[in-house]
Amino acid sequence: MDQISKIANAGALSARDILDAFDIWLSERVGEARAAGMDLAFHDSDFDIAPGREPPLVGWRHMLLAPGACPPDGPDWTVYRLQDQGSAANSAKGSVDQEGLRLALEALGYGAYLSPAQTG
């Protein structure tokens, strides 16, 4: 299986090594953004592999954004909206559209996590 999971990169790292490094990197960035009360934007960058350095693999760039801010220009950025994006809009409308929320969660594959009362 390790032979199959090898991917083309200068350090000949396995896919598992890269995913483990990304997991650690992303968890740290999410914690950093939450502590700062910000959203998180990130994208892939060239791998920088330096054995002995902590972390040994870096392959992502990030930026903290003000809650609700537009993604940065440039490469394909992924934005994690970690702050409450809808409190002002929802309070203006009075309440969240529960049926619309349920349908959206089911469409995204989270239907199994809804309580029976939420599924109608």
Side-chain angles (χ1 to χ4, degrees), residues 32-86:
E32 177 185 336
R34 283 190 172 159
M38 306 285 273
D39 290 338
L40 172 67
F42 63 92
H43 70 87
D44 293 336
S45 65
D46 292 334
F47 284 141
D48 176 10
I49 303 166
R53 178 185 64 195
E54 191 56 42
L57 170 67
V58 177
W60 309 276
R61 301 181 78 182
H62 78 287
M63 176 183 293
L64 299 183
L65 301 174
C70 292
D73 290 333
D76 294 327
W77 288 87
T78 298
V79 177
Y80 282 6
R81 300 294 182 186
L82 302 171
Q83 306 307 315
D84 184 6
Q85 306 296 313

